[in-house]
Amino acid sequence: MGKKQFISFFVAVLFVSALSISCNSSTSNSSQQPADAAETEASGDDAVVKHINSVETFNKTISNNGKLVLVDFWAEWCRPCKMVAPIVEAVATENADKLVVAKVDMEQDWVIGAFARSYYIEAIPCFILFSNGKEVARTEGYMEKDEFDSWLKDYLK
């Protein structure tokens, strides 16, 4: 088993553990944002990386006509997610003219369950590249900056 495969497997195990803990905990969440506040935060044009807080905002973001959309599925407890975050931000800044970058926190109530399953998120960090709402590429796990650039280069022509 290679290093990337081991990291992806390890992150998947952590993700499943976190989901089971989250599902077994209380379902009330007093920190949940109202939909209009989530929309405002996610759609701010001055943000380099958009934070998605609802299914509606997610769908609107990935349907961005004219630019590719890179979605980073992550969680606060995920060390590889934290390690790759500055790289994702650099990629967003360097490619702002061709690419919209968004993040989805896998610990949000709207993500856990059917939404995560519908996009086959099995490990985090998981990066899905969308064009006009359709998935065109996917990768999982930590990547160095040059690996990230190499993965994206064919799509950002």
Side-chain angles (χ1 to χ4, degrees), residues 115-140:
F115 180 84
R117 284 191 305 273
S118 70
Y119 284 95
Y120 304 100
I121 309 299
E122 297 175 351
I124 55 173
C126 177
F127 303 97
I128 302 179
L129 191 61
F130 293 91
S131 177
N132 297 320
K134 306 273 190 238
E135 181 177 334
V136 294
R138 168 190 298 245
T139 189
E140 296 174 339

Side-chain angles (χ1 to χ4, degrees), residues 71-104:
V71 181
D72 173 5
F73 294 89
W74 68 286
E76 183 66 35
W77 51 263
C78 170
R79 183 155 172 78
C81 298
K82 288 182 177 185
M83 291 169 50
V84 79
I87 295 168
V88 171
E89 191 161 329
V91 166
T93 301
E94 293 168 8
N95 298 289
D97 58 329
K98 300 177 258 186
L99 185 68
V100 171
V101 178
K103 293 177 79 77
V104 173

